[in-house]
Coordinates of all heavy atoms in Angstrom, one line a residue:
K12 N -182.0 30.4 161.7 CA -181.6 29.6 160.5 C -180.5 30.3 159.8 O -180.6 31.5 159.5 CB -182.8 29.4 159.7 CG -182.5 28.6 158.4 CD -183.7 28.4 157.5 CE -183.3 27.7 156.3 NZ -184.3 27.6 155.3
D13 N -179.5 29.6 159.4 CA -178.3 30.1 158.7 C -177.7 31.4 159.3 O -177.1 32.2 158.5 CB -178.5 30.1 157.2 CG -179.5 31.1 156.7 OD1 -180.0 31.9 157.5 OD2 -179.7 31.2 155.5
G14 N -178.0 31.7 160.6 CA -177.4 32.8 161.2 C -178.1 34.1 160.9 O -177.6 35.2 161.3
V15 N -179.2 34.1 160.2 CA -180.0 35.3 159.9 C -181.2 35.4 160.7 O -181.9 34.4 160.9 CB -180.4 35.3 158.4 CG1 -181.3 36.5 158.0 CG2 -179.1 35.3 157.5
L16 N -181.5 36.6 161.3 CA -182.6 36.8 162.2 C -183.9 36.8 161.3 O -184.0 37.5 160.3 CB -182.5 38.1 162.9 CG -183.6 38.4 163.9 CD1 -183.7 37.3 165.0 CD2 -183.4 39.8 164.5
R17 N -184.9 35.9 161.7 CA -186.2 35.8 161.0 C -187.3 35.8 162.0 O -187.1 35.5 163.2 CB -186.2 34.6 160.2 CG -185.2 34.6 159.0 CD -185.3 33.4 158.1 NE -184.6 33.5 156.9 CZ -183.3 33.3 156.8 NH1 -182.6 33.0 157.8 NH2 -182.8 33.4 155.6
D18 N -188.5 36.1 161.6 CA -189.7 36.0 162.4 C -190.1 34.5 162.6 O -189.4 33.6 162.0 CB -190.8 36.9 162.0 CG -191.5 36.4 160.7 OD1 -191.1 35.3 160.2 OD2 -192.4 37.1 160.2
E19 N -191.2 34.3 163.3 CA -191.6 32.9 163.5 C -192.0 32.1 162.3 O -191.9 30.9 162.2 CB -192.8 32.9 164.5 CG -192.5 33.3 165.9 CD -193.7 33.4 166.8 OE1 -194.9 33.5 166.2 OE2 -193.6 33.3 168.0
S20 N -192.4 32.8 161.2 CA -192.7 32.2 160.0 C -191.6 32.0 159.0 O -191.7 31.5 157.9 CB -193.9 32.9 159.3 OG -193.5 34.2 158.9
G21 N -190.4 32.5 159.4 CA -189.2 32.3 158.6 C -188.9 33.5 157.7 O -188.0 33.5 156.9
R22 N -189.7 34.6 157.8 CA -189.4 35.8 157.0 C -188.2 36.6 157.6 O -188.2 36.8 158.8 CB -190.7 36.7 157.0 CG -191.8 36.0 156.2 CD -193.1 36.8 156.3 NE -192.9 38.1 155.7 CZ -193.7 39.2 155.9 NH1 -194.7 39.1 156.7 NH2 -193.5 40.3 155.3
T23 N -187.4 37.0 156.7 CA -186.2 37.7 157.1 C -186.5 39.1 157.6 O -187.4 39.8 157.1 CB -185.2 37.9 155.9 OG1 -184.9 36.5 155.4 CG2 -183.9 38.6 156.2
L24 N -185.7 39.5 158.7 CA -185.9 40.9 159.3 C -184.7 41.7 158.9 O -183.5 41.2 158.9 CB -186.1 40.7 160.8 CG -187.3 40.0 161.2 CD1 -187.3 39.6 162.7 CD2 -188.5 40.9 160.9
Y25 N -184.9 43.0 158.8 CA -183.9 43.9 158.3 C -183.7 45.1 159.3 O -184.7 45.5 159.9 CB -184.2 44.5 156.9 CG -184.2 43.4 155.8 CD1 -185.3 42.7 155.6 CD2 -183.1 43.2 155.1 CE1 -185.3 41.7 154.6 CE2 -183.1 42.3 154.1 CZ -184.2 41.5 153.8 OH -184.2 40.6 152.8
L26 N -182.6 45.7 159.2 CA -182.3 47.0 159.9 C -182.1 48.1 158.9 O -181.5 47.8 157.8 CB -181.1 46.9 160.8 CG -181.2 46.0 162.1 CD1 -179.9 45.9 162.8 CD2 -182.2 46.6 163.0
F27 N -182.5 49.3 159.2 CA -182.3 50.5 158.3 C -181.3 51.4 159.0 O -181.5 51.9 160.1 CB -183.7 51.2 158.2 CG -183.7 52.4 157.3 CD1 -183.0 52.4 156.1 CD2 -184.5 53.5 157.7 CE1 -183.1 53.6 155.3 CE2 -184.6 54.6 156.8 CZ -183.9 54.6 155.7
A28 N -180.2 51.6 158.3 CA -179.1 52.4 158.9 C -179.5 53.9 159.2 O -178.8 54.5 160.0 CB -177.9 52.4 157.9
K29 N -180.5 54.4 158.6 CA -180.9 55.8 158.9 C -181.9 55.9 160.1 O -182.2 57.0 160.4 CB -181.6 56.4 157.6 CG -180.6 56.5 156.5 CD -181.3 57.2 155.3 CE -180.3 57.3 154.1 NZ -180.8 58.0 153.0
D30 N -182.2 54.8 160.7 CA -183.0 54.8 161.9 C -182.1 55.2 163.1 O -180.9 55.1 163.1 CB -183.6 53.5 162.2 CG -184.9 53.2 161.5 OD1 -185.4 54.1 160.9 OD2 -185.3 52.0 161.5
E31 N -182.8 55.7 164.1 CA -182.1 56.1 165.4 C -182.6 55.1 166.4 O -183.6 54.5 166.2 CB -182.4 57.5 165.8 CG -182.1 58.5 164.7 CD -182.8 59.9 165.0 OE1 -182.9 60.2 166.2 OE2 -183.2 60.5 164.0
A32 N -181.8 54.9 167.5 CA -182.3 54.0 168.5 C -183.6 54.5 169.1 O -183.7 55.7 169.4 CB -181.2 53.9 169.6
G33 N -184.6 53.6 169.0 CA -185.9 54.0 169.6 C -186.8 54.7 168.6 O -187.9 55.1 169.0
K34 N -186.3 55.0 167.4 CA -187.1 55.8 166.4 C -186.9 55.3 165.0 O -185.8 55.1 164.5 CB -186.7 57.3 166.5 CG -187.4 58.2 165.6 CD -187.0 59.6 165.7 CE -187.6 60.6 164.8 NZ -188.6 60.2 163.9
S35 N -188.1 55.1 164.3 CA -188.1 54.7 162.9 C -188.0 56.0 162.0 O -188.7 57.0 162.3 CB -189.3 53.9 162.6 OG -189.4 53.8 161.2
N36 N -187.3 55.9 161.0 CA -187.2 57.0 160.0 C -187.7 56.5 158.6 O -187.4 57.1 157.6 CB -185.8 57.6 159.9 CG -185.4 58.4 161.1 OD1 -186.2 59.3 161.5 ND2 -184.3 58.1 161.7
C37 N -188.5 55.4 158.7 CA -189.0 54.8 157.4 C -190.5 55.0 157.4 O -191.2 54.4 158.2 CB -188.7 53.4 157.4 SG -189.2 52.5 155.9
Y38 N -191.0 55.9 156.5 CA -192.4 56.2 156.4 C -192.8 56.3 154.9 O -192.0 56.3 154.1 CB -192.7 57.6 157.1 CG -192.6 57.5 158.6 CD1 -191.4 57.8 159.3 CD2 -193.6 57.0 159.4 CE1 -191.3 57.6 160.6 CE2 -193.5 56.8 160.7 CZ -192.3 57.2 161.4 OH -192.2 57.0 162.7
D39 N -194.1 56.3 154.7 CA -194.7 56.6 153.4 C -194.1 55.6 152.3 O -194.3 54.4 152.5 CB -194.5 58.0 152.9 CG -195.1 59.0 154.0 OD1 -196.2 58.7 154.5 OD2 -194.5 60.0 154.2
T40 N -193.5 56.1 151.3 CA -193.0 55.2 150.2 C -192.0 54.2 150.8 O -191.9 53.1 150.3 CB -192.4 56.0 149.0 OG1 -191.4 56.8 149.5 CG2 -193.5 56.8 148.3
C41 N -191.2 54.6 151.7 CA -190.2 53.7 152.3 C -190.9 52.5 153.0 O -190.6 51.4 152.8 CB -189.3 54.4 153.4 SG -188.2 53.4 154.3
L42 N -192.0 52.8 153.7 CA -192.7 51.8 154.5 C -193.4 50.9 153.5 O -193.7 49.7 153.8 CB -193.7 52.5 155.4 CG -194.2 51.6 156.6 CD1 -193.0 51.1 157.4 CD2 -195.1 52.4 157.5
A43 N -193.8 51.3 152.3 CA -194.4 50.5 151.3 C -193.5 49.4 150.9 O -193.9 48.3 150.6 CB -194.9 51.3 150.2
K44 N -192.2 49.7 150.8 CA -191.2 48.7 150.3 C -190.6 48.0 151.5 O -190.1 46.8 151.3 CB -190.1 49.5 149.6 CG -190.5 50.0 148.2 CD -189.3 50.7 147.6 CE -189.8 51.4 146.3 NZ -188.7 52.1 145.6
W45 N -190.6 48.6 152.7 CA -190.0 48.0 153.8 C -191.0 48.0 155.0 O -191.0 48.8 155.9 CB -188.8 48.8 154.2 CG -187.7 48.8 153.2 CD1 -187.6 49.7 152.1 CD2 -186.8 47.7 152.9 NE1 -186.5 49.3 151.3 CE2 -186.0 48.1 151.8 CE3 -186.4 46.6 153.6 CZ2 -185.0 47.3 151.3 CZ3 -185.4 45.8 153.1 CH2 -184.7 46.2 152.0
P46 N -192.0 47.1 155.0 CA -193.0 47.1 156.0 C -192.4 46.8 157.4 O -191.5 46.0 157.6 CB -193.9 45.9 155.6 CG -193.6 45.6 154.2 CD -192.2 46.0 154.0
A47 N -193.0 47.6 158.4 CA -192.5 47.4 159.7 C -192.9 46.0 160.3 O -193.9 45.5 159.9 CB -193.2 48.5 160.6
F48 N -192.1 45.5 161.2 CA -192.4 44.3 161.9 C -193.2 44.7 163.1 O -192.7 45.1 164.1 CB -191.1 43.6 162.3 CG -191.2 42.3 163.1 CD1 -192.3 41.5 162.9 CD2 -190.2 41.9 163.9 CE1 -192.4 40.3 163.6 CE2 -190.3 40.7 164.6 CZ -191.4 39.9 164.5
V49 N -194.5 44.7 162.8 CA -195.5 45.3 163.8 C -195.6 44.5 165.0 O -195.7 43.3 165.0 CB -196.9 45.4 163.1 CG1 -197.9 45.9 164.0 CG2 -196.8 46.3 161.9
A50 N -195.7 45.2 166.2 CA -195.9 44.6 167.5 C -197.3 44.9 167.9 O -197.9 46.0 167.6 CB -194.9 45.1 168.5
K51 N -197.9 44.0 168.7 CA -199.3 44.3 169.3 C -199.1 45.5 170.3 O -198.0 45.7 170.8 CB -199.8 43.1 170.0 CG -200.2 42.0 169.0 CD -200.7 40.8 169.8 CE -201.0 39.7 168.8 NZ -201.6 38.5 169.4
T52 N -200.2 46.2 170.5 CA -200.1 47.4 171.4 C -199.6 47.0 172.8 O -199.0 47.8 173.5 CB -201.4 48.1 171.5 OG1 -202.4 47.2 171.9 CG2 -201.8 48.7 170.2
D53 N -199.9 45.8 173.3 CA -199.5 45.4 174.6 C -198.2 44.5 174.6 O -197.9 43.9 175.6 CB -200.6 44.6 175.3 CG -201.0 43.3 174.5 OD1 -200.5 43.1 173.4 OD2 -201.7 42.5 175.1
A54 N -197.5 44.5 173.5 CA -196.2 43.7 173.4 C -195.2 44.2 174.5 O -195.1 45.4 174.8 CB -195.6 43.9 172.0
K55 N -194.5 43.3 175.0 CA -193.5 43.5 176.0 C -192.1 43.1 175.5 O -192.0 42.1 174.8 CB -193.8 42.8 177.3 CG -195.1 43.0 177.9 CD -195.2 44.3 178.6 CE -196.5 44.5 179.3 NZ -197.3 45.7 178.9
P56 N -191.1 43.9 175.8 CA -189.7 43.6 175.5 C -189.4 42.2 176.0 O -189.8 41.7 177.0 CB -188.8 44.6 176.1 CG -189.8 45.8 176.4 CD -191.1 45.1 176.6
N57 N -188.5 41.5 175.2 CA -188.1 40.1 175.6 C -186.6 40.0 175.2 O -186.3 39.8 174.0 CB -188.9 39.1 174.9 CG -188.6 37.7 175.3 OD1 -187.8 37.5 176.1 ND2 -189.3 36.7 174.6
G58 N -185.7 40.2 176.2 CA -184.3 40.1 175.9 C -183.8 41.2 175.0 O -184.2 42.4 175.2
D59 N -183.2 40.9 173.9 CA -182.7 41.9 172.9 C -183.9 42.5 172.1 O -183.7 43.5 171.4 CB -181.6 41.4 172.0 CG -180.3 41.1 172.7 OD1 -180.1 41.7 173.8 OD2 -179.5 40.4 172.1
L60 N -185.0 41.8 172.0 CA -186.2 42.3 171.3 C -186.9 43.3 172.1 O -187.4 43.0 173.2 CB -187.1 41.1 170.9 CG -186.6 40.2 169.8 CD1 -187.6 39.1 169.6 CD2 -186.4 41.0 168.5
T61 N -186.9 44.5 171.6 CA -187.6 45.6 172.3 C -188.7 46.1 171.4 O -188.9 45.6 170.3 CB -186.6 46.8 172.6 OG1 -186.0 47.2 171.4 CG2 -185.5 46.3 173.5
V62 N -189.5 47.1 171.9 CA -190.6 47.7 171.2 C -190.4 49.2 171.1 O -190.1 49.8 172.1 CB -191.9 47.3 171.9 CG1 -193.1 47.9 171.2 CG2 -192.1 45.8 172.0
V63 N -190.6 49.7 169.9 CA -190.6 51.2 169.8 C -192.0 51.6 169.3 O -192.7 50.9 168.7 CB -189.5 51.6 168.8 CG1 -188.1 51.2 169.2 CG2 -189.7 51.1 167.4
T64 N -192.3 52.9 169.6 CA -193.5 53.5 169.2 C -193.2 54.4 168.0 O -192.4 55.3 168.0 CB -194.2 54.3 170.3 OG1 -194.4 53.5 171.4 CG2 -195.5 54.9 169.9
R65 N -194.0 54.1 166.9 CA -193.8 54.9 165.6 C -194.5 56.2 165.8 O -195.4 56.4 166.7 CB -194.4 54.1 164.5 CG -193.6 52.8 164.2 CD -194.1 52.0 163.1 NE -194.1 52.8 161.8 CZ -193.1 53.0 161.1 NH1 -191.9 52.5 161.4 NH2 -193.2 53.7 160.0
N66 N -194.2 57.2 164.9 CA -194.9 58.5 164.9 C -196.4 58.4 164.9 O -197.1 59.3 165.4 CB -194.4 59.4 163.8 CG -193.0 59.9 164.0 OD1 -192.4 59.7 165.1 ND2 -192.4 60.5 163.0
D67 N -197.0 57.4 164.3 CA -198.4 57.3 164.2 C -199.0 56.6 165.4 O -200.2 56.4 165.5 CB -198.8 56.6 162.9 CG -198.4 55.1 162.8 OD1 -197.8 54.6 163.8 OD2 -198.6 54.5 161.8
G68 N -198.2 56.2 166.4 CA -198.6 55.6 167.6 C -198.6 54.1 167.6 O -198.8 53.5 168.6
S69 N -198.4 53.5 166.4 CA -198.3 52.0 166.3 C -197.0 51.5 166.9 O -196.1 52.3 167.1 CB -198.5 51.6 164.9 OG -197.4 52.0 164.1
K70 N -197.0 50.3 167.2 CA -195.8 49.7 167.9 C -195.0 48.8 166.8 O -195.6 48.3 165.9 CB -196.2 48.8 169.0 CG -197.0 49.4 170.1 CD -196.2 50.4 170.9 CE -197.0 51.0 172.0 NZ -196.3 51.9 172.9
Q71 N -193.7 48.8 167.0 CA -192.9 48.1 166.1 C -191.8 47.3 166.9 O -191.2 47.9 167.8 CB -192.2 49.0 165.1 CG -191.3 48.4 164.1 CD -190.8 49.4 163.0 OE1 -191.1 50.6 163.1 NE2 -189.9 48.9 162.1
W72 N -191.6 46.1 166.5 CA -190.5 45.3 167.2 C -189.1 45.9 166.8 O -189.0 46.4 165.6 CB -190.5 43.8 166.8 CG -191.6 43.1 167.5 CD1 -192.7 42.6 166.9 CD2 -191.7 42.7 168.9 NE1 -193.5 42.0 167.8 CE2 -192.9 42.0 169.1 CE3 -190.8 43.0 169.9 CZ2 -193.3 41.6 170.3 CZ3 -191.2 42.5 171.2 CH2 -192.4 41.8 171.4
A73 N -188.2 45.8 167.7 CA -186.9 46.4 167.4 C -185.8 45.4 168.0 O -186.1 44.6 168.9 CB -186.7 47.8 168.1
L74 N -184.6 45.5 167.6 CA -183.5 44.8 168.1 C -182.6 45.8 168.9 O -182.0 46.7 168.2 CB -182.7 44.1 167.0 CG -181.5 43.2 167.5 CD1 -181.9 42.1 168.3 CD2 -180.7 42.8 166.3
K75 N -182.6 45.7 170.2 CA -181.8 46.6 171.0 C -182.1 48.0 170.7 O -181.3 48.9 170.5 CB -180.3 46.3 170.9 CG -179.9 44.9 171.3 CD -178.4 44.7 171.1 CE -178.0 43.3 171.5 NZ -176.6 43.1 171.3
G76 N -183.4 48.3 170.5 CA -183.9 49.7 170.2 C -183.9 50.1 168.7 O -184.4 51.1 168.3
K77 N -183.3 49.3 167.8 CA -183.3 49.6 166.4 C -184.5 48.9 165.7 O -184.6 47.6 165.7 CB -182.0 49.1 165.7 CG -180.7 49.8 166.2 CD -180.6 51.2 165.7 CE -180.1 51.1 164.2 NZ -179.8 52.4 163.6
P78 N -185.4 49.6 165.1 CA -186.6 49.1 164.5 C -186.3 48.0 163.4 O -185.3 48.1 162.7 CB -187.3 50.3 163.9 CG -186.8 51.4 164.7 CD -185.4 51.1 165.0
L79 N -187.2 47.0 163.4 CA -187.0 45.9 162.5 C -188.1 45.9 161.4 O -189.2 46.4 161.6 CB -187.2 44.5 163.2 CG -186.1 44.2 164.2 CD1 -186.5 43.0 165.1 CD2 -184.8 44.0 163.5
Y80 N -187.7 45.5 160.2 CA -188.6 45.6 159.0 C -188.5 44.3 158.2 O -187.5 43.5 158.3 CB -188.1 46.7 158.0 CG -188.0 48.1 158.7 CD1 -186.9 48.5 159.4 CD2 -189.1 48.9 158.6 CE1 -186.8 49.7 160.0 CE2 -189.0 50.2 159.2 CZ -187.9 50.6 159.9 OH -187.8 51.8 160.5
Y81 N -189.5 44.1 157.3 CA -189.5 43.1 156.3 C -189.1 43.9 155.0 O -189.2 45.1 154.9 CB -190.8 42.5 156.1 CG -191.3 41.8 157.3 CD1 -192.4 42.3 158.1 CD2 -190.8 40.5 157.6 CE1 -192.9 41.6 159.2 CE2 -191.3 39.8 158.7 CZ -192.3 40.4 159.5 OH -192.8 39.7 160.6
F82 N -188.8 43.1 153.9 CA -188.6 43.6 152.6 C -189.7 43.1 151.7 O -189.9 41.9 151.6 CB -187.2 43.3 152.0 CG -187.0 43.8 150.6 CD1 -187.2 45.1 150.2 CD2 -186.5 42.9 149.6 CE1 -187.0 45.5 148.9 CE2 -186.3 43.3 148.3 CZ -186.6 44.6 148.0
A83 N -190.4 44.0 151.0 CA -191.6 43.6 150.2 C -191.1 42.7 149.0 O -191.9 42.0 148.5 CB -192.3 44.8 149.6
G84 N -189.8 42.8 148.6 CA -189.3 42.0 147.5 C -188.9 40.6 147.9 O -188.4 39.8 147.1
D85 N -189.1 40.2 149.2 CA -188.8 38.8 149.6 C -190.1 38.1 149.4 O -191.1 38.3 150.1 CB -188.4 38.8 151.1 CG -187.0 39.2 151.4 OD1 -186.2 39.4 150.4 OD2 -186.7 39.5 152.5
A86 N -190.1 37.2 148.4 CA -191.3 36.5 148.0 C -191.7 35.3 149.0 O -192.9 35.0 149.1 CB -191.2 35.9 146.6
K87 N -190.7 34.7 149.6 CA -191.0 33.6 150.4 C -190.1 33.5 151.6 O -189.1 34.3 151.7 CB -190.8 32.3 149.7 CG -189.5 32.0 149.1 CD -189.4 30.7 148.3 CE -188.1 30.4 147.8 NZ -187.2 31.4 147.2
A88 N -190.4 32.7 152.6 CA -189.6 32.6 153.8 C -188.2 32.2 153.4 O -188.0 31.4 152.5 CB -190.2 31.5 154.7
G89 N -187.2 32.8 154.1 CA -185.8 32.5 153.8 C -185.2 33.5 152.8 O -184.0 33.5 152.7
D90 N -186.0 34.2 152.0 CA -185.4 35.1 151.0 C -184.6 36.2 151.8 O -185.1 36.7 152.8 CB -186.5 35.8 150.1 CG -187.0 34.8 149.1 OD1 -186.4 33.7 148.9 OD2 -187.9 35.2 148.4
I91 N -183.5 36.7 151.2 CA -182.8 37.9 151.7 C -182.5 38.9 150.6 O -181.4 39.4 150.5 CB -181.5 37.4 152.5 CG1 -180.6 36.6 151.6 CG2 -181.8 36.7 153.7 CD1 -179.2 36.3 152.1
N92 N -183.5 39.1 149.8 CA -183.3 40.0 148.6 C -183.0 41.4 148.9 O -182.4 42.1 148.1 CB -184.5 39.9 147.7 CG -184.7 38.5 147.1 OD1 -183.8 37.8 146.8 ND2 -185.9 38.0 147.2
G93 N -183.3 41.9 150.1 CA -183.1 43.3 150.5 C -181.7 43.6 151.1 O -181.4 44.7 151.4
D94 N -180.9 42.5 151.4 CA -179.7 42.7 152.1 C -178.7 43.6 151.3 O -178.4 43.3 150.1 CB -179.0 41.4 152.3 CG -177.9 41.5 153.3 OD1 -177.9 42.4 154.2 OD2 -177.0 40.6 153.3
G95 N -178.3 44.7 151.9 CA -177.4 45.6 151.3 C -178.0 46.6 150.4 O -177.3 47.5 149.8
M96 N -179.3 46.6 150.2 CA -180.0 47.5 149.3 C -179.7 49.0 149.6 O -179.9 49.4 150.8 CB -181.5 47.2 149.2 CG -182.2 47.9 148.1 SD -183.8 47.3 147.7 CE -183.4 45.7 146.9
G97 N -179.3 49.7 148.6 CA -179.1 51.1 148.8 C -178.0 51.5 149.8 O -177.8 52.6 150.2
G98 N -177.3 50.5 150.2 CA -176.2 50.7 151.2 C -176.7 51.0 152.6 O -175.9 51.4 153.5
V99 N -178.1 50.9 152.8 CA -178.6 51.3 154.1 C -179.5 50.2 154.7 O -180.0 50.4 155.8 CB -179.4 52.6 154.0 CG1 -178.5 53.8 153.7 CG2 -180.5 52.5 153.0
W100 N -179.7 49.1 154.0 CA -180.6 48.0 154.5 C -179.7 46.8 154.7 O -178.9 46.4 153.9 CB -181.7 47.7 153.6 CG -182.7 48.8 153.5 CD1 -182.8 49.8 152.6 CD2 -183.7 49.0 154.5 NE1 -183.8 50.6 152.9 CE2 -184.4 50.2 154.0 CE3 -184.2 48.4 155.6 CZ2 -185.5 50.7 154.7 CZ3 -185.3 48.9 156.3 CH2 -185.9 50.1 155.9
A101 N -179.9 46.1 155.9 CA -179.1 44.9 156.1 C -179.8 43.9 157.0 O -180.6 44.2 157.8 CB -177.8 45.3 156.9
V102 N -179.6 42.6 156.6 CA -180.1 41.6 157.5 C -179.2 41.5 158.8 O -178.1 42.1 158.8 CB -180.1 40.2 156.8 CG1 -181.0 40.2 155.6 CG2 -178.7 39.7 156.4
I103 N -179.7 40.9 159.8 CA -179.0 40.8 161.0 C -178.4 39.3 161.1 O -179.2 38.4 161.1 CB -179.9 41.0 162.2 CG1 -180.5 42.4 162.2 CG2 -179.2 40.9 163.5 CD1 -181.9 42.4 161.6
R104 N -177.1 39.3 161.1 CA -176.5 38.0 161.1 C -175.8 37.8 162.4 O -175.2 38.7 162.9 CB -175.4 37.9 160.0 CG -176.0 37.8 158.6 CD -174.9 37.6 157.5 NE -175.5 37.3 156.3 CZ -175.8 38.2 155.3 NH1 -175.6 39.5 155.6 NH2 -176.3 37.9 154.2
S105 N -175.8 36.6 162.9 CA -175.1 36.3 164.2 C -173.6 36.4 164.0 O -173.1 35.9 163.0 CB -175.5 34.9 164.7 OG -175.1 33.9 163.8
G106 N -173.0 37.2 164.9 CA -171.6 37.3 164.9 C -171.0 38.2 163.8 O -169.8 38.4 163.6
A107 N -171.9 38.8 163.0 CA -171.4 39.7 161.9 C -170.9 41.0 162.5 O -171.6 41.6 163.3 CB -172.6 40.0 160.9
P108 N -169.8 41.5 162.0 CA -169.3 42.8 162.5 C -170.1 43.9 162.0 O -170.5 44.0 160.8 CB -167.8 42.9 162.0 CG -167.8 41.9 160.8 CD -168.9 40.9 161.1
A109 N -170.5 44.8 162.9 CA -171.4 45.9 162.6 C -170.9 46.8 161.5 O -171.6 47.2 160.6 CB -171.8 46.7 163.8
A110 N -169.6 47.1 161.5 CA -169.0 47.9 160.5 C -169.1 47.4 159.1 O -169.2 48.1 158.1 CB -167.5 48.2 160.9
K111 N -169.0 46.1 159.0 CA -169.0 45.4 157.7 C -170.4 45.4 157.1 O -170.6 45.6 155.9 CB -168.4 44.0 157.8 CG -168.3 43.3 156.4 CD -167.6 42.0 156.6 CE -167.5 41.3 155.2 NZ -166.9 40.0 155.3
T112 N -171.4 45.1 157.9 CA -172.8 44.9 157.4 C -173.6 46.1 157.5 O -174.7 46.2 156.9 CB -173.5 43.8 158.1 OG1 -173.7 44.2 159.5 CG2 -172.8 42.4 158.0
G113 N -173.2 47.1 158.3 CA -174.0 48.2 158.6 C -175.2 47.9 159.5 O -176.0 48.7 159.7
A114 N -175.1 46.8 160.1 CA -176.2 46.3 161.0 C -175.6 46.0 162.4 O -174.4 45.8 162.5 CB -176.9 45.1 160.4
S115 N -176.5 46.0 163.3 CA -176.1 45.5 164.7 C -175.8 44.1 164.6 O -176.4 43.3 163.8 CB -177.2 45.8 165.7 OG -177.4 47.2 165.8
T116 N -174.9 43.6 165.4 CA -174.7 42.1 165.5 C -175.8 41.5 166.3 O -176.4 42.1 167.1 CB -173.3 41.8 166.1 OG1 -173.3 42.4 167.4 CG2 -172.2 42.3 165.2
Y117 N -176.0 40.2 166.0 CA -177.1 39.5 166.8 C -176.5 38.2 167.2 O -175.8 37.6 166.5 CB -178.3 39.3 165.9 CG -179.4 38.5 166.6 CD1 -180.1 39.1 167.6 CD2 -179.5 37.2 166.3 CE1 -181.1 38.3 168.3 CE2 -180.5 36.4 167.0 CZ -181.3 37.0 167.9 OH -182.2 36.3 168.6

């Protein structure tokens, strides 16, 4: 919808610029504000959607290896209140240049 990557219920998904491919760097207070897009333990990659294992052993959906998150400040489906926050959080937009948004293109 409107070129922004969302989950099945319409909630916006975000990337964290401080993450590494295959590894989340968002824990504790960060995770309270930016909940992980949790994957079931038996989840399998599907195209660009991959699965990473967090330090605590839980699974998280990722886009081409970059972990995906929600923003606790998004009250309803379709909100994008976390886009650009702190200069390190970005929504994933189709065709958006990575250098401009700080996010991978989708």
Side-chain angles (χ1 to χ4, degrees):
K12 180 182 175 185
D13 67 3
V15 173
L16 183 63
R17 293 186 168 80
D18 72 3
E19 292 177 338
S20 64
R22 293 176 60 201
T23 302
L24 296 166
Y25 295 85
L26 291 173
F27 182 39
K29 295 182 179 183
D30 279 346
E31 302 164 37
K34 180 177 178 3
S35 170
N36 288 310
C37 181
Y38 291 94
D39 303 321
T40 57
C41 174
L42 201 58
K44 291 181 184 176
W45 299 92
F48 181 26
V49 176
K51 293 181 181 179
T52 56
D53 62 348
K55 303 285 186 238
N57 184 4
D59 289 343
L60 286 177
T61 56
V62 179
V63 298
T64 302
R65 298 181 54 80
N66 285 352
D67 64 3
S69 65
K70 304 289 184 177
Q71 181 174 357
W72 285 109
L74 179 66
K75 299 179 183 177
K77 295 285 282 188
L79 294 168
Y80 303 87
Y81 298 108
F82 176 51
D85 285 347
K87 63 185 183 315
D90 283 354
I91 56 170
N92 297 318
D94 192 26
M96 190 164 289
V99 294
W100 292 97
V102 297
I103 301 100
R104 290 186 172 89
S105 60
K111 184 174 183 184
T112 64
S115 298
T116 57
Y117 176 76

